[in-house]
Amino acid sequence: MVLVAMLSTSSLGVFNQQFSMEAMAQGKQFSLEDLNFGGHNYRNMVPQTKYHTWWGSQLVRLDVEECYLVDKKTGRESVLLDTAQVNSIIRQSGRDDVSVVRHMYSVEFPEAGKTVVMVSNGRQNVLLDWKKQQLLWAGKTLEGGSSLGFCKASKADAVLKDNNLYVVDAQGTARQLSTDGSREIVYGQSVHRNEFGIDGGIFWSPDGQRLAFYRMDQSEVGDYPQVNIEAREAAYEPDKYPMAGERSHDVTVGVYDLQSGKTIYLQTPQSRDTQKLPESGEMDGKAVYFTNVAWAPDGKTVYMFELNRDQNDCRLVSYDALTGERLKELDRETSTKYVEPQHPVTFLPWDAQQFLFQSQRDGYNHLYLFNLKTGKIRQLTSGQWVVLDLVGFNEKARSVVIASNECNPIQRNTFAVDVKTGRRTLLDNGEGYHSAELSADGQWLRDSWSAPQVPRVISVQSTVQKPGRLTAKTLFTAENPWKDYNVPEYSCGTLKAADGQTDLYYRMVKPVGFDPAKKYPTIIYVYGGPHAHNVDARWNYCSRGWETYMAQKGYLLFILDNRGSENRGRDFEQATFRQLGQVEMQDQMQGVSFLKSLPYVDQDRIGVHGWSYGGYMTISLMTNYPDVFKVGVAGGPVIDWKWYEVMYGERYMDSPQQNPEGYAKCSLLSKAKNLKGKLQIITGYNDNTVVPQHCLSFIYQCNLAGTQPDFYAYPGEGHNMMGHQSTHLHERISQYFDDYLIK
């Protein structure tokens, strides 16, 4: 049931409507320095924003030298605190070991109603009371160490030094938790190649008195031979890279108790999968994936998801944080394809016996409520739409605030969900793409949003809204930074997938000064893989700056989110299982058919470009449909999935031993002989995500087959070109299409 509080549901109008964003006949011309994120003028060409944080239920705007208290009803601002006041307190303390603060962007207000602020000077965290003019506390650093995660509750810091894990407590005392750290034994860092929602390796309990951390033994993982060419003699600097079907990491979870100074390890299963696989002996039975570590509110129990190596059997398990004992298996989800846990459990702030978890078990990612007293599970949200994020809670209203695409598959909107009834209330205007931040009590919401014709708006409002009446105070509306420039036409629409039933969303960028009587060279930009999408309801339909640059040069750009991409439900994503690239190509060719039906598309001048998975798709399309695509640029391309990492590769393809036919079908090595058009392959010479073995092996097969791709490498760069190298990269990509497609 949906209870809607909104101004209008017209949101995007008709998706295939086109609009010209104030294009002027004599407007300025863009350069890559304007439009590429590595460009010197890029920051001036993106919509401006304002930065805020919450002080209890008070909204505070952050700036360089000041922070301002914002009146939520009128939007008026008054100076709350500035760097001069903060640094005066630091100097008056007489602490020579505390550096001054240079800006106010990193301030936090830990307690509502108290004039206490935590600031960072770049080296340490500092806590002070600006009303009492007192320095309350300043963190101490561990010389030669790097912080893995600071805990505001206990003011303790987890630190990595010489590959070993330390905890520096509030008094500055450092305790060493490990002694065997090395490049083989890794402590307190991300494991499982950052899959399964993992983005760090330390987890503080709510009171900060216990620290859970990962320990990863990768001594049996193969070394990929990366080379550092900056040394006088090129140096061997290998990466630990577990390839599909090969040995993986051995991960355990430790818990350190600050009071006792003791560390225990959770008694996790070490061998759930011991199946024999042909030609490889025993599959690595130690590879049970442990992810989404979470704490009970009292800090006595650890919860996490455990996933077998086949990734089709996922169990939610609780552990005793004091002894490491495995307590109970609370839930189990299995699949004929794969289960993919991405989020930790989240306890209700008003009930320590109930928590929420997320699952796609009904076909779409939704919230489920688990009751520890009864052991029962209740589905809280449902429908053919996706919960995109759990934003927070309104404890007084007993509601959970979520972001979802219920309004439209390419939108992101904010809803309050009544935990008792499941009733949903829309908390924004129902348009565009919204990012919400809640006050500490959850009763106020700061909303930053954009829409295809709206660069950015920031507003504040109550999370308790009456049906049909949205009351929000606009705090900031960004100007269009492109108002003085010639801009292309952006449009969005849908077409049917190759199955004839599924709607696929596309974005089209028409050339500046578009004339429907002309025929234009057309570039398809593609990604196509899981955990990503290209089209949404943000400014310009989320068009990339490079598309605008190329449209200015006279190209038409087309971008289609095929099946296999994210936020459209389980079956949409899993249509590619065990055959990566095949369904995706079928859908992209539906896009080609659509383009060929348009009189202004030059069918003899169609190009394709993509990076990473998009590089794989680019070469796939160039070699499977060689008479369709005249030019392609493939960056960081996967060529054969047997060279990709265990966790990602085996989720979507199973192992090479289990699915040899699929790996052979999806490999591009045998397709090298089919290449006809002009293809440029680009890679970071030190890519540790899609290792250079991929593109080099394809080039070798082209040599044998007598086909002629072009190749360019960026020495010292990884999977993505950083800084101004990115501008150089996009100049090279653009030049390749200029040389071979536009003529």
Side-chain angles (χ1 to χ4, degrees):
M1 177 180 182
V2 181
L3 182 61
V4 177
M6 58 189 295
L7 296 176
S8 170
T9 57
S10 61
S11 63
L12 301 179
V14 179
F15 274 119
N16 62 2
Q17 73 174 5
Q18 300 173 352
F19 59 88
S20 177
M21 298 184 57
E22 306 166 21
M24 303 189 310
Q26 302 301 320
K28 298 179 182 179
Q29 294 289 101
F30 291 107
S31 72
L32 282 174
E33 299 292 352
D34 299 323
L35 295 174
N36 182 263
F37 67 84
H40 296 309
N41 196 43
Y42 177 73
R43 291 189 177 184
N44 296 321
M45 300 303 293
V46 296
Q48 289 185 330
T49 189
K50 302 291 182 181
Y51 301 95
H52 296 87
T53 190
W54 288 100
W55 175 22
S57 60
Q58 299 294 314
L59 186 64
V60 178
R61 183 173 72 81
L62 308 177
D63 213 322
V64 180
E65 295 186 351
E66 299 92 10
C67 56
Y68 300 85
L69 195 62
V70 181
D71 187 305
K72 297 190 293 293
K73 294 183 179 179
T74 66
R76 296 192 188 96
E77 297 182 349
S78 57
V79 176
L80 177 65
L81 191 62
D82 60 30
T83 54
Q85 291 173 270
V86 169
N87 290 329
S88 175
I89 296 171
I90 290 174
R91 293 188 183 99
Q92 290 173 17
S93 72
R95 292 280 299 272
D96 294 335
D97 61 326
V98 182
S99 304
V100 296
V101 172
R102 300 189 181 278
H103 63 79
M104 300 297 286
Y105 283 125
S106 60
V107 303
E108 296 182 51
F109 300 90
E111 296 184 71
K114 293 188 178 181
T115 55
V116 176
V117 64
M118 182 170 286
V119 298
S120 173
N121 56 29
R123 295 180 57 251
Q124 63 196 142
N125 293 299
V126 179
L127 191 69
L128 54 86
D129 187 318
W130 74 85
K131 184 176 182 180
K132 295 180 180 179
Q133 296 285 297
Q134 292 180 353
L135 177 66
L136 304 177
W137 172 85
K140 295 184 178 180
T141 59
L142 183 61
E143 192 68 29
S146 59
S147 175
L148 296 175
F150 174 75
C151 179
K152 288 181 286 186
S154 62
K155 303 181 184 64
D157 198 8
V159 177
L160 190 69
K161 179 182 178 181
D162 299 328
N163 295 309
N164 282 302
L165 185 61
Y166 294 75
V167 166
V168 181
D169 64 21
Q171 290 71 45
T173 302
R175 298 181 184 273
Q176 188 169 351
L177 276 59
S178 68
T179 58
D180 59 343
S182 65
R183 68 179 295 262
E184 281 81 23
I185 309 297
V186 179
Y187 284 95
Q189 299 173 67
S190 291
V191 299
H192 305 323
R193 302 285 297 183
N194 295 310
E195 296 294 332
F196 319 111
I198 296 172
D199 60 5
I202 61 106
F203 313 89
W204 287 104
S205 63
D207 62 2
Q209 294 304 307
R210 294 189 178 92
L211 173 71
F213 60 89
Y214 281 129
R215 179 187 187 273
M216 177 170 64
D217 182 347
Q218 53 182 2
S219 57
E220 295 187 21
V221 174
D223 281 328
Y224 186 84
Q226 297 282 9
V227 176
N228 177 6
I229 66 166
E230 294 184 4
R232 173 62 180 82
E233 296 181 0
Y236 175 57
E237 294 183 358
D239 287 326
K240 290 290 185 180
Y241 195 97
M243 291 187 178
E246 303 297 324
R247 285 284 178 176
S248 186
H249 308 121
D250 179 10
V251 173
T252 51
V253 179
V255 177
Y256 172 71
D257 190 303
L258 273 68
Q259 298 299 317
S260 68
K262 295 181 179 180
T263 299
I264 58 96
Y265 280 86
L266 304 186
Q267 298 167 21
T268 54
Q270 293 301 302
S271 182
R272 183 178 296 159
D273 299 65
T274 55
Q275 56 195 341
K276 297 286 184 179
L277 295 179
E279 300 179 11
S280 71
E282 182 178 298
M283 177 181 270
D284 189 355
K286 295 180 180 179
V288 178
Y289 301 128
F290 304 116
T291 185
N292 298 299
V293 176
W295 286 92
D298 62 5
K300 295 180 179 179
T301 309
V302 173
Y303 297 85
M304 66 182 179
F305 290 92
E306 298 176 357
L307 188 66
N308 66 334
R309 178 156 176 172
D310 269 352
Q311 301 186 45
N312 56 15
D313 187 347
C314 182
R315 311 183 194 203
L316 173 58
V317 182
S318 60
Y319 287 87
D320 189 317
L322 303 179
T323 66
E325 179 185 359
R326 183 182 177 91
L327 297 176
K328 193 173 184 180
E329 184 179 301
L330 303 170
D331 182 54
R332 183 179 183 184
E333 182 178 350
T334 61
S335 171
T336 57
K337 294 182 178 178
Y338 55 86
V339 182
E340 192 174 5
Q342 289 285 317
H343 309 278
V345 305
T346 306
F347 277 83
L348 302 182
W350 59 86
D351 187 349
Q353 294 300 310
Q354 294 193 85
F355 61 74
L356 293 169
F357 69 93
Q358 300 183 44
S359 171
Q360 289 198 105
R361 63 189 61 194
D362 79 337
Y364 296 86
N365 190 56
H366 282 295
L367 296 182
Y368 293 80
L369 186 65
F370 190 98
N371 190 312
L372 287 170
K373 288 183 178 179
T374 64
K376 293 183 178 180
I377 298 173
R378 174 166 63 90
Q379 186 167 354
L380 185 60
T381 61
S382 62
Q384 293 183 11
W385 47 271
V386 172
V387 173
L388 301 171
D389 190 20
L390 195 164
V391 179
F393 296 92
N394 182 339
E395 186 169 355
K396 183 177 180 180
R398 296 293 194 266
S399 64
V400 55
V401 178
I402 65 170
S404 80
N405 61 1
E406 180 174 0
C407 292
N408 190 283
I410 67 170
Q411 291 185 202
R412 176 187 170 107
N413 299 95
T414 308
F415 288 80
V417 183
D418 187 296
V419 172
K420 184 177 181 179
T421 65
R423 185 173 60 182
R424 299 184 300 282
T425 303
L426 182 63
L427 296 180
D428 60 39
N429 59 10
E431 301 178 19
Y433 197 94
H434 293 251
S435 296
E437 298 175 8
L438 290 179
S439 61
D441 59 9
Q443 296 187 50
W444 291 91
L445 180 149
R446 185 256 195 193
D447 182 22
S448 177
W449 66 280
S450 72
Q453 299 181 68
V454 179
R456 179 174 287 114
V457 174
I458 298 174
S459 62
V460 63
Q461 66 199 58
S462 168
T463 54
V464 179
Q465 297 287 335
K466 295 181 180 180
R469 292 178 59 192
L470 175 65
T471 55
K473 176 61 184 178
T474 298
L475 302 177
F476 174 72
T477 300
E479 291 187 0
N480 181 359
W482 297 359
K483 62 182 180 181
D484 297 326
Y485 288 76
N486 281 331
V487 296
E489 297 180 5
Y490 305 90
S491 62
C492 178
T494 63
L495 55 83
K496 292 300 181 184
D499 64 3
Q501 299 178 350
T502 307
D503 284 336
L504 304 177
Y505 286 84
Y506 69 81
R507 172 175 70 247
M508 184 179 291
V509 184
K510 292 181 179 177
V512 173
F514 173 72
D515 181 350
K518 294 183 179 179
K519 288 188 178 292
Y520 292 95
T522 298
I523 301 172
I524 295 171
Y525 175 77
V526 62
Y527 180 76
H531 290 294
H533 68 283
N534 283 308
V535 185
D536 64 37
R538 281 181 267 194
W539 188 45
N540 297 340
Y541 291 107
C542 206
S543 181
R544 302 164 66 247
W546 180 77
E547 297 165 19
T548 295
Y549 179 71
M550 296 303 281
Q552 176 183 265
K553 291 160 71 74
Y555 296 90
L556 184 145
L557 285 299
F558 183 78
I559 300 90
L560 176 72
D561 283 331
N562 50 246
R563 284 173 294 167
S565 56
E566 68 179 355
N567 298 339
R568 296 292 305 279
R570 181 193 62 204
D571 295 343
F572 187 95
E573 296 169 6
Q574 295 189 353
T576 65
F577 183 59
R578 289 186 126 225
Q579 52 169 347
L580 289 180
Q582 310 312 300
V583 169
E584 300 94 309
M585 278 194 291
Q586 295 171 21
D587 286 352
Q588 290 295 329
M589 292 309 294
Q590 291 294 107
V592 171
S593 296
F594 168 68
L595 289 171
K596 288 184 173 182
S597 72
L598 303 175
Y600 46 81
V601 170
D602 189 337
Q603 299 185 26
D604 296 324
R605 292 189 294 170
I606 295 178
V608 58
H609 165 52
W611 198 270
S612 190
Y613 202 102
Y616 171 64
M617 288 294 298
T618 295
I619 300 179
S620 295
L621 290 165
M622 290 283 293
T623 56
N624 281 278
Y625 302 93
D627 295 320
V628 173
F629 299 94
K630 183 179 180 182
V631 180
V633 179
V638 173
I639 295 297
D640 193 307
W641 291 101
K642 69 174 178 288
W643 292 321
Y644 202 64
E645 61 190 36
V646 166
M647 299 82 188
Y648 184 106
E650 292 182 2
R651 178 187 312 134
Y652 303 116
M653 290 289 291
D654 283 334
S655 71
Q657 297 88 353
Q658 294 167 306
N659 183 21
E661 298 85 1
Y663 274 81
K665 181 179 181 181
C666 300
S667 173
L668 299 180
L669 295 176
S670 64
K671 306 293 195 306
K673 63 181 182 298
N674 299 339
L675 182 63
K676 286 186 177 180
K678 293 294 296 183
L679 171 65
Q680 178 173 225
I681 301 171
I682 305 175
T683 189
Y685 185 76
N686 297 94
D687 192 337
N688 62 359
T689 301
V690 181
V691 294
Q693 184 171 358
H694 286 271
C695 58
L696 295 176
S697 297
F698 182 78
I699 291 169
Y700 178 68
Q701 291 300 318
C702 288
N703 295 343
L704 297 179
T707 52
Q708 296 283 344
D710 294 317
F711 179 63
Y712 193 85
Y714 283 86
E717 292 293 308
H719 192 50
N720 297 290
M721 307 309 113
M722 306 306 292
H724 203 259
Q725 293 263 47
S726 175
T727 305
H728 182 279
L729 165 68
H730 284 85
E731 182 178 4
R732 183 168 193 87
I733 296 169
S734 304
Q735 181 180 315
Y736 201 78
F737 285 110
D738 289 348
D739 289 344
Y740 297 110
L741 185 64
I742 203 167
K743 294 178 180 178

